[in-house]
Amino acid sequence: MKKILFVSSEVHPLIKTGGLADVCGSLPIALAELSQDIKLILPRYQSLKITEEVRFLCTVRVDNRNVNILETRLPGTQVTVLLVDYPSYFNLPGNPYVDELGEPWPNNAERFALFCKIAVEIAMDRAYLDWKPDIVHCNDWQTGLVPALLSLEYERPKTVFTIHNMAYQGLFPKATIYDLNIPGPLWHIAGLEFYDKLSFIKGGLVYADFITTVSPSYALEIQTAEFGYGFEGLLASRKASLGGIINGIDLGHWNPEVDPYISQTYTATTLTKKRPNKAEVQRQFGLAIDDKIPLFSLIGRLVEQKGIDLLIECLPEMMSMNLQFVLLGNGDKAYEKQLQVLADEYPNKIAIKLGYDEVLAHVIEAGADIFLMPSKFEPCGLNQMYSQRYGTIPIVRKTGGLADTVTDTLPQTLAQDTASGVVFNEASAGALLEAIKRALILYNVPSAWKKMQVNAMSKDFSWQRSAAEYLALYNNL
Ligand code: ADP
Ligand code: GLC
C-alpha cells in the first residue's frame, strides 16, 4: 500500500472549472478502491461545495504566515481532503484563477506558491499529521513548485507531475522570485527560469521524478514544437520519464442508465428512450421538437484550444443543411459574441446558452445526436467519452486524447464493431464541414448509426484501468 498526497487546484464536486476537476475528483477514489492510502490537498476557496464534516487539524507556519489545515472528505466518499485555509488568498468570490469579472487574481503567483509550500510541509510530515506520503502526485502549473521545492529536501517522497494542459504554464515576472522566496538553487535556466521569467510548470517538468500526461498521443505531441510551447526540447530530453495515461470517466456520475438529471434513463438496448431526452434539449433551447432533425451539440470552454473558430466558420454553411445545433459554454468574449450573432440570425436552427450549467451538460449529452469537438489540441478531453457513453456520436479532430478514444467510422471499423465516431485530420473549417457531412450521411443509415451508438456505449472508459496504470507507476518509482 502506498501513501499518496494528491495535489490539485480543483477537485469535482468541491470545485470545478474544467476537466482537471473531473480527473482529480475521480482518480483518487479509484486509487482508494485499489486500497491505497490517499489524501487530497486543495485550497479552501469560498465556493467549495462541502457536504461532509470539516475539522481543524493544525496550523502550519511558512514565510511568516500562519496557515490553517482543515480536513474534510470528498462528498459521499471516505477519501480525505486537506484544505489549505488562508482566507485573504482563497476565501474570495470568483473561481480559483479569476475574480468575478474574469480577471486573473493579481496575486496568483503568491496564492499558488503558498499552496505548494504547504503541500511540501505536509509531504515532509512537518505539519505533525503523523503521515508521510511515499508519493506526491501534482497536477498542472498551480502545483509545479512542489516537485521543485521537494527536490531540495533530504529523504523526500517521490514526485509525479501530470500535465493536463501545456497551454497554461504559470509564467510570472522574474521579480516574483523574491516575493515568493524561491530558493536560489532553483533559479537557473535548467531550473525554474524560462526566458527570464518564473515558470511554475517548469518546476514539474524539470524536477518531478516522473511526468505523465493524460493521453499517449499528447505525450508524443508535446515533444514537438507545435504542442510543446518551447518545452518540447526539455520534454524530449525527459522522454524516459514521460508517459501518457488516458483519463477515465466517473461512470457513476456519467451514466445514462441512472443519471438523475435526464428525462428518461436508457441503455444500449433501449436507445429509443433517448428520444424524450432529445425533445427535452429542443424544449430547453427553444427549438422545434422533432425527432427526425439531427441535433448537433457542443459543451465546453469557448477558447482557441477547442476549435471554436472552425465551428463559427462552418455554421453559416451548416445552415443550408437539415439540422439543429445547441451550444453550452462560456469563455472568450469575442467567441461568445460571434456565436450570439449567429444564434440571432438563425433562431430556428442555432440556440446557445452562455454560462456554466452542470445539469444542462447532462441533459445535452443524453439528448443530442452528435457532439462536436473540433479541438486544435486536446490533452485528453472528457466530453467525447461522456458522449460515447450516452450514445451521442462525437465528431472529433484527430489530436491528443480525441485520437486515442474515438474510432472513426469506416467500412472496416463498422464491420469490426469498433466504429464509434467521426474523426477528421486537418484543423480547418473545410475538414470539419466534410466530417459533419459524413456524419449526416451515416445518420441517415439507421442500421449503421445504431451500430455506432452501441459500439460507443460499450467502450470501457472506466478509471479502474487507468488507476492501475498510475499505481504501477508509483510502484516503479
Ligand atoms: P477542458 O478540461 O479542457 O475544459 P475536458 O473535456 O477535459 O476539457 O473537460 C471539460 C469538463 O467541463 C467536462 O466535464 C464538461 O462537461 C465541463 N464543462 C465545460 N464547460 C461547461 C459548461 N459551460 N457547463 C457545464 N459543464 C461544462
Ligand atoms: C485539461 C485538458 C483536457 C483534459 C483535462 C483533464 O483541461 O484541456 O483535454 O481532459 O485537462 O485531464
Side-chain angles (χ1 to χ4, degrees):
M1 185 182 70
K2 291 272 185 254
K3 291 198 185 77
I4 305 150
L5 180 64
F6 199 90
V7 193
S8 171
S9 60
E10 44 183 287
V11 175
H12 180 80
L14 293 169
I15 182 118
K16 165 167 166 177
T17 74
L20 172 65
D22 295 72
V23 172
C24 297
S26 42
L27 171 57
I29 299 175
L31 286 164
E33 281 165 4
L34 293 173
S35 307
Q36 305 306 300
D37 178 5
I38 185 160
K39 292 186 201 290
L40 281 157
I41 183 165
L42 175 78
R44 189 199 194 190
Y45 307 110
Q46 191 172 79
S47 47
L48 288 184
K49 295 203 187 90
I50 294 176
T51 58
E52 313 291 315
E53 191 192 329
V54 179
R55 72 187 182 104
F56 170 83
L57 283 187
C58 61
T59 301
V60 179
R61 196 166 170 80
V62 292
D63 291 343
N64 280 330
R65 296 167 202 274
N66 287 326
V67 182
N68 289 336
I69 310 294
L70 314 178
E71 184 187 73
T72 184
R73 289 183 198 284
L74 205 51
T77 77
Q78 292 300 313
V79 176
T80 299
V81 181
L82 304 174
L83 299 172
V84 176
D85 185 23
Y86 195 69
S88 63
Y89 280 5
F90 300 120
N91 190 12
L92 303 164
N95 89 11
Y97 320 117
V98 299
D99 64 19
E100 283 170 302
L101 302 173
E103 292 299 321
W105 295 110
N107 59 346
N108 268 340
E110 286 84 355
R111 296 169 72 236
F112 290 107
L114 181 75
F115 176 52
C116 289
K117 289 183 182 187
I118 296 296
V120 167
E121 291 309 292
I122 290 175
M124 293 308 296
D125 201 16
R126 289 194 291 251
Y128 305 103
L129 302 183
D130 196 21
W131 186 83
K132 186 167 182 186
D134 307 300
I135 302 285
V136 179
H137 189 152
C138 303
N139 296 276
D140 272 356
W141 75 262
Q142 296 83 0
T143 66
L145 295 185
V146 175
L149 293 167
L150 277 175
S151 74
L152 304 173
E153 300 279 355
Y154 179 64
E155 292 193 341
R156 62 170 179 85
K158 296 287 184 188
T159 52
V160 174
F161 183 76
T162 296
I163 303 165
H164 296 263
N165 199 326
M166 280 298 295
Y168 304 99
Q169 304 167 355
L171 264 189
F172 299 98
K174 179 179 175 179
T176 319
I177 61 171
Y178 306 109
D179 302 332
L180 303 186
N181 261 321
I182 297 289
L186 298 176
W187 183 253
H188 50 92
I189 49 165
L192 296 177
E193 184 178 350
F194 187 66
Y195 296 100
D196 215 30
K197 287 198 163 145
L198 166 66
S199 165
F200 271 51
I201 200 173
K202 215 176 158 202
L205 306 185
V206 171
Y207 294 100
D209 294 306
F210 203 93
I211 305 164
T212 71
T213 183
V214 286
S215 68
S217 288
Y218 195 59
L220 296 175
E221 288 169 349
I222 56 178
Q223 297 177 49
T224 68
E226 191 185 347
F227 300 95
Y229 298 93
F231 291 109
E232 57 275 10
L234 167 60
L235 287 163
S237 76
R238 294 217 55 195
K239 72 169 175 240
S241 308
L242 165 64
I245 300 179
I246 198 88
N247 289 331
I249 61 173
D250 180 338
L251 299 179
H253 191 60
W254 292 96
N255 181 355
E257 288 180 36
V258 295
D259 193 328
Y261 302 133
I262 65 179
S263 310
Q264 171 78 63
T265 56
Y266 59 96
T267 68
T269 55
T270 56
L271 270 168
T272 48
K273 291 193 180 165
K274 213 166 145 40
R275 277 188 203 152
N277 294 303
K278 179 167 175 178
E280 180 60 18
V281 177
Q282 289 166 325
R283 192 187 67 75
Q284 288 202 26
F285 278 88
L287 294 170
I289 296 182
D290 182 341
D291 186 53
K292 297 232 155 44
I293 304 179
L295 177 60
F296 286 68
S297 62
L298 187 151
I299 303 166
R301 296 182 295 119
L302 303 178
V303 295
E304 207 203 326
Q305 170 187 351
K306 303 291 173 182
I308 304 301
D309 52 336
L310 304 186
L311 172 72
I312 289 172
E313 214 182 315
C314 278
L315 277 170
E317 195 162 340
M318 283 168 73
M319 294 303 99
S320 64
M321 304 170 193
N322 179 36
L323 55 79
Q324 295 171 332
F325 172 66
V326 297
L327 176 141
L328 166 65
N330 55 7
D332 209 317
K333 296 296 162 226
Y335 289 144
E336 290 188 356
K337 209 163 147 196
Q338 286 169 289
L339 288 162
Q340 191 61 62
V341 167
L342 285 161
D344 292 344
E345 196 175 338
Y346 302 99
N348 299 330
K349 292 197 154 183
I350 304 180
I352 68 172
K353 293 206 195 252
L354 298 176
Y356 186 91
D357 185 337
E358 214 165 313
V359 173
L360 186 58
H362 285 251
V363 172
I364 295 172
E365 286 291 8
D369 295 302
I370 295 162
F371 193 94
L372 294 173
M373 254 176 122
S375 306
K376 303 248 165 72
F377 68 94
E378 196 62 76
C380 179
L382 299 172
N383 273 116
Q384 82 283 6
M385 293 194 265
Y386 300 152
S387 297
Q388 289 177 86
R389 190 105 210 279
Y390 282 72
T392 300
I393 298 303
I395 296 183
V396 304
R397 194 168 97 76
K398 190 172 181 161
T399 183
L402 300 176
D404 294 341
T405 56
V406 180
T407 308
D408 194 16
T409 303
L410 303 165
Q412 193 188 349
T413 55
L414 266 177
Q416 292 164 344
D417 286 338
T418 53
S420 68
V422 175
V423 181
F424 66 100
N425 280 314
E426 198 187 301
S428 71
L432 171 58
L433 205 59
E434 282 311 308
I436 288 169
K437 288 182 187 160
R438 199 145 66 80
L440 285 172
I441 292 171
L442 289 161
Y443 184 80
N444 287 315
V445 186
S447 58
W449 195 256
K450 189 166 174 209
K451 226 174 180 193
M452 292 160 70
Q453 288 181 299
V454 172
N455 295 342
M457 292 179 83
S458 0
K459 284 199 165 189
D460 176 11
F461 295 123
S462 69
W463 264 113
Q464 278 69 29
R465 213 178 34 179
S466 309
E469 283 188 58
Y470 280 105
L471 186 54
L473 164 63
Y474 300 157
N475 286 329
N476 278 339
L477 290 174

mmCIF file of all heavy atoms in Angstrom, residues 3 39 125-132:
data_model
loop_
_atom_site.group_PDB
_atom_site.id
_atom_site.type_symbol
_atom_site.label_atom_id
_atom_site.label_comp_id
_atom_site.label_asym_id
_atom_site.label_seq_id
_atom_site.Cartn_x
_atom_site.Cartn_y
_atom_site.Cartn_z
ATOM 1 N N LYS A 3 1.279 5.439 0.364
ATOM 2 C CA LYS A 3 0.661 6.661 0.883
ATOM 3 C C LYS A 3 0.866 7.738 -0.187
ATOM 4 O O LYS A 3 2.004 7.989 -0.608
ATOM 5 C CB LYS A 3 1.363 7.102 2.169
ATOM 6 C CG LYS A 3 1.146 6.185 3.353
ATOM 7 C CD LYS A 3 1.514 6.961 4.621
ATOM 8 C CE LYS A 3 1.440 6.094 5.849
ATOM 9 N NZ LYS A 3 2.619 5.186 5.949
ATOM 10 N N LYS A 39 -4.570 11.005 0.256
ATOM 11 C CA LYS A 39 -5.160 12.241 0.756
ATOM 12 C C LYS A 39 -5.027 13.296 -0.339
ATOM 13 O O LYS A 39 -3.958 13.446 -0.935
ATOM 14 C CB LYS A 39 -4.430 12.745 2.006
ATOM 15 C CG LYS A 39 -4.589 11.872 3.249
ATOM 16 C CD LYS A 39 -3.947 12.577 4.439
ATOM 17 C CE LYS A 39 -3.588 11.631 5.582
ATOM 18 N NZ LYS A 39 -4.720 11.076 6.316
ATOM 19 N N ASP A 125 6.037 15.737 6.315
ATOM 20 C CA ASP A 125 5.492 15.450 7.648
ATOM 21 C C ASP A 125 5.929 16.481 8.685
ATOM 22 O O ASP A 125 6.191 16.152 9.834
ATOM 23 C CB ASP A 125 5.883 14.027 8.093
ATOM 24 C CG ASP A 125 4.942 13.511 9.198
ATOM 25 O OD1 ASP A 125 3.856 14.114 9.378
ATOM 26 O OD2 ASP A 125 5.300 12.529 9.875
ATOM 27 N N ARG A 126 6.002 17.725 8.228
ATOM 28 C CA ARG A 126 6.353 18.779 9.181
ATOM 29 C C ARG A 126 5.114 19.499 9.715
ATOM 30 O O ARG A 126 5.231 20.496 10.424
ATOM 31 C CB ARG A 126 7.306 19.783 8.515
ATOM 32 C CG ARG A 126 8.699 19.173 8.295
ATOM 33 C CD ARG A 126 9.726 20.225 7.963
ATOM 34 N NE ARG A 126 9.517 20.823 6.667
ATOM 35 C CZ ARG A 126 10.292 20.631 5.598
ATOM 36 N NH1 ARG A 126 11.357 19.833 5.671
ATOM 37 N NH2 ARG A 126 10.036 21.225 4.466
ATOM 38 N N ALA A 127 3.929 18.982 9.320
ATOM 39 C CA ALA A 127 2.701 19.574 9.856
ATOM 40 C C ALA A 127 2.209 18.736 11.033
ATOM 41 O O ALA A 127 1.125 18.968 11.543
ATOM 42 C CB ALA A 127 1.642 19.650 8.764
ATOM 43 N N TYR A 128 3.026 17.770 11.429
ATOM 44 C CA TYR A 128 2.708 16.896 12.570
ATOM 45 C C TYR A 128 1.385 16.163 12.395
ATOM 46 O O TYR A 128 0.607 16.021 13.314
ATOM 47 C CB TYR A 128 2.725 17.683 13.898
ATOM 48 C CG TYR A 128 4.040 18.389 14.072
ATOM 49 C CD1 TYR A 128 4.166 19.742 13.843
ATOM 50 C CD2 TYR A 128 5.189 17.654 14.415
ATOM 51 C CE1 TYR A 128 5.395 20.370 13.946
ATOM 52 C CE2 TYR A 128 6.416 18.280 14.526
ATOM 53 C CZ TYR A 128 6.519 19.632 14.290
ATOM 54 O OH TYR A 128 7.729 20.243 14.378
ATOM 55 N N LEU A 129 1.114 15.698 11.181
ATOM 56 C CA LEU A 129 -0.091 14.892 10.964
ATOM 57 C C LEU A 129 0.236 13.412 11.147
ATOM 58 O O LEU A 129 -0.619 12.566 11.016
ATOM 59 C CB LEU A 129 -0.659 15.124 9.558
ATOM 60 C CG LEU A 129 -1.024 16.573 9.213
ATOM 61 C CD1 LEU A 129 -1.644 16.648 7.823
ATOM 62 C CD2 LEU A 129 -1.971 17.164 10.244
ATOM 63 N N ASP A 130 1.493 13.137 11.409
ATOM 64 C CA ASP A 130 1.947 11.763 11.591
ATOM 65 C C ASP A 130 1.626 10.913 10.359
ATOM 66 O O ASP A 130 1.122 9.802 10.460
ATOM 67 C CB ASP A 130 1.295 11.163 12.859
ATOM 68 C CG ASP A 130 2.035 9.900 13.284
ATOM 69 O OD1 ASP A 130 3.211 9.745 12.886
ATOM 70 O OD2 ASP A 130 1.430 9.061 13.973
ATOM 71 N N TRP A 131 1.867 11.469 9.226
ATOM 72 C CA TRP A 131 1.564 10.792 7.958
ATOM 73 C C TRP A 131 2.552 11.305 6.924
ATOM 74 O O TRP A 131 2.544 12.491 6.602
ATOM 75 C CB TRP A 131 0.122 11.118 7.555
ATOM 76 C CG TRP A 131 -0.383 10.391 6.341
ATOM 77 C CD1 TRP A 131 -0.903 9.131 6.282
ATOM 78 C CD2 TRP A 131 -0.440 10.911 4.994
ATOM 79 N NE1 TRP A 131 -1.283 8.834 4.996
ATOM 80 C CE2 TRP A 131 -1.007 9.906 4.183
ATOM 81 C CE3 TRP A 131 -0.072 12.120 4.398
ATOM 82 C CZ2 TRP A 131 -1.221 10.066 2.818
ATOM 83 C CZ3 TRP A 131 -0.281 12.287 3.030
ATOM 84 C CH2 TRP A 131 -0.848 11.261 2.256
ATOM 85 N N LYS A 132 3.428 10.450 6.454
ATOM 86 C CA LYS A 132 4.388 10.901 5.439
ATOM 87 C C LYS A 132 4.153 10.118 4.149
ATOM 88 O O LYS A 132 4.306 8.895 4.127
ATOM 89 C CB LYS A 132 5.826 10.706 5.911
ATOM 90 C CG LYS A 132 6.809 11.307 4.921
ATOM 91 C CD LYS A 132 8.206 11.423 5.458
ATOM 92 C CE LYS A 132 9.087 12.083 4.412
ATOM 93 N NZ LYS A 132 10.475 12.122 4.786
#
